[in-house]
Amino acid sequence: MWTRVRAPVLAWWAVLLAGLGLGLATVRIATEAPGYGLAEAGAPVVVELLAGWGLMLAGLFSVVRRPRASFGPLLVAAGFAWFLVEWNSAVVSSSVAFTVGLALYAACPPMVGHALLVYPDRRLPGVDTVVAGVGYLTTVGALGVLPALVFDPAAQGCSACATNLLMVVDGPFATVNRIGVGLAGAGVALSALWCGGRLVRASAVLRRRSGPVVVPGLVYLVLVVADYGHALGRGYVSNDPVDRGLWLGQAAALVAVAAGACWEWQRARRTRTKLARLVIEVGRTPQAGGLVGVLAELLGDPSLAVLYPVSDGRQVDVDGRAVAVDTGREVTRLVRRGAVAASLVHRPGLLEGVGSADDIARTVQLALENERLRAETRAQLADLRESRARIVALRAAERRRLERDLHDGAQQRLVALALAIRLATLRADDQDLADRLTRAESQVQAALADLRALAHGLYPAALAEEGLEAALDVLAEGAAVPVTVATTATGRCAPAVELAGYLVVATAVGHSGCRRADVRVDDADGGLVVEVETDAGPPGELGRVQDRVGALDGRLTLAGTPDGGTLIRVELPCAS
């Protein structure tokens, strides 16, 4: 176990030590032959070391933070390649080192361009891969390896140079090298243009986050293009005053790249500090629904919302309400154990960066799971309430339909039958027949009265046609006990709501112990409030009415009165 954990760390320490040694060896080469190299004694040597070592250290920091990302290794490789520009010098006595310098002295620009393309942690799509490949082919290939294949140091006047191990034939080195300079300039320019265009197209948040690395990297690439353009006339990269000035600018830009990468590391540390605060804040926020407020404050987005998936595919908030994501908002999914635990709805670009969503999911996993379960329970409860409300509404509609069928069908036929019997009675010559027809008419009238009472009990006609107030007035007129009705309600409510309010009053008035009843109907906060005060105890059949009220998301309460009676109060949402 120790070997598996420590081996990568030891390997990168070895790389760092090798980079330190390479930098010191490069300084030795540059100072021993000041006329051949770019760095001179003093400040240029310090700048050269800062650029190379800075890239290596920044790359190692990135590797530690994101071991699977390619940005860190590319920065480390670019730091090594930065020093190789001095290694094709006559001072280098090793043939291997001299050959490596010939082939790779121009390898730093394509590596920096490649690092900018993958920053902060991107997989290269097809076009980006082509751009990176063109950069390597035109610099390492056309400007490094190809000229080395036809370069004989002794034939070119460098008798002190080491042997070129890559030489195949002493050929037209000047022509091949001039072509390589032009192709390298075009390849690096393509990388700069492509990275710059991608930065312009990025969101404002991503530009702020990647700018400290990408902008100085683009400056470096532009200076490299300028250096190749300056060298194109003579056909090779040299170390005249213009070359030295451009080289110093490149070194300063690479130092800025390294500083930007370290700044991103520091920003990540601040993010981890925020997440640690988040753990504390979540621990102090036991109330349900508190997680979204804590996340909104720490992430700096007051409009942030947390949505949870339920079994039917909907996204609901912590109270179980289905929420539609507005256009222009961004959704980041928090995944735990391969499943989506929640979704953060936030302003675009808020969480652009490596690992932010995963860090949040790990930090708040307990609170997230608790609120997800709460949201799912609330959603199921809301579905149950909606289902009950639909059932009550359907029952109310069915009652109304039956009342209409009875009124328009059976009642009308009984009325017609009663009229026919009366006409037959008037025309009867036999008194005995007339008496029997009169008794038959009385029975039909009694059946008609029973049928009307049944239809009225199913759904009062006045309730359907004129509303609750009219229906209660009809109920008061036909009641066996004194009933007073006072109402301040205006407008109509849903049929199921009005029927529920009516049935509460009808049940209370129809109670066998009731001797009087006072009814009051009011509007309250967009709902309907019905109060019934009687001089008797609670009706025994009030339970069925209470179920109906609950199904409509209403509330029924009972209270005693000083005279031993009962006050029934019903609160109903008018739009149920």
Side-chain angles (χ1 to χ4, degrees), residues 187-492:
V188 177
L190 176 63
S191 296
L193 290 173
W194 191 258
C195 293
R198 203 183 67 180
L199 182 65
V200 171
R201 294 190 302 271
S203 65
V205 174
L206 186 56
R207 284 198 297 270
R208 288 196 300 270
R209 188 163 290 175
S210 60
V213 172
V214 176
V215 171
L218 290 175
V219 172
Y220 166 74
L221 294 180
V222 170
L223 292 175
V224 171
V225 173
D227 192 22
Y228 289 159
H230 173 67
L232 189 60
R234 60 176 177 258
Y236 58 90
V237 178
S238 185
N239 58 347
D240 65 16
V242 175
D243 289 314
R244 291 179 186 273
L246 291 172
W247 175 83
L248 285 173
Q250 295 169 24
L254 291 181
V255 171
V257 169
C262 292
W263 169 253
E264 197 272 340
W265 174 70
Q266 180 64 24
R267 183 196 61 79
R269 285 190 60 188
R270 293 204 313 271
T271 300
R272 288 194 296 271
T273 302
K274 284 186 176 182
L275 292 175
R277 285 178 52 204
L278 180 59
V279 173
I280 299 173
E281 293 294 333
V282 169
R284 294 175 179 175
T285 312
Q287 69 272 18
L291 179 60
V292 62
V294 174
L295 285 174
E297 179 182 357
L298 291 180
L299 297 177
D301 184 5
S303 63
L304 181 140
V306 182
L307 304 182
Y308 302 91
V310 292
S311 56
D312 60 0
R314 290 177 300 159
Q315 297 281 331
V316 300
D317 61 13
V318 70
D319 293 320
R321 295 174 300 218
V323 178
V325 179
D326 296 335
T327 304
R329 304 286 287 169
E330 186 173 327
V331 178
T332 300
R333 305 193 186 282
L334 304 183
V335 179
R336 293 294 299 158
R337 298 183 180 90
V340 177
S343 298
L344 299 184
V345 182
H346 52 83
R347 67 170 181 263
L350 178 67
L351 296 179
E352 285 180 346
V354 179
S356 296
D358 294 337
D359 290 342
I360 291 173
R362 285 192 298 268
T363 302
V364 300
Q365 56 181 315
L366 182 59
L368 204 63
E369 185 64 18
N370 290 338
E371 294 213 350
R372 187 191 66 79
L373 293 174
R374 171 187 169 87
E376 187 171 1
T377 302
R378 287 296 186 90
Q380 291 173 351
L381 181 59
D383 292 341
L384 178 60
R385 286 176 175 172
E386 292 177 2
S387 176
R388 292 176 64 191
R390 287 193 298 269
I391 291 173
V392 170
L394 288 174
R395 290 179 61 186
E398 186 64 17
R399 279 171 168 261
R400 188 172 182 179
R401 186 188 65 79
L402 289 174
E403 186 274 333
R404 287 177 178 175
D405 290 346
L406 290 175
H407 180 272
D408 297 338
Q411 287 188 59
Q412 297 302 323
R413 287 193 294 272
L414 286 176
V415 169
L417 178 60
L419 290 175
I421 293 174
R422 178 167 295 181
L423 289 175
T425 302
L426 294 175
R427 294 174 182 174
D429 296 332
D430 186 358
Q431 185 60 37
D432 183 56
L433 177 60
D435 292 341
R436 283 184 290 174
L437 288 174
T438 301
R439 288 194 297 273
E441 182 186 357
S442 299
Q443 292 177 358
V444 171
Q445 292 291 349
L448 182 60
D450 292 340
L451 190 59
R452 285 173 176 167
L454 176 61
H456 185 78
L458 287 173
Y459 202 100
L463 182 64
E465 297 171 0
E466 302 179 47
L468 181 59
E469 181 179 0
L472 292 178
D473 288 339
V474 173
L475 176 64
E477 291 175 2
V481 299
V483 177
T484 61
V485 178
T487 178
T488 60
T490 58
R492 299 290 300 271

Side-chain angles (χ1 to χ4, degrees), residues 22-42:
L22 179 63
L24 294 176
T26 301
V27 169
R28 176 178 169 273
I29 293 171
T31 54
E32 284 187 1
Y36 291 95
L38 289 166
E40 298 176 346

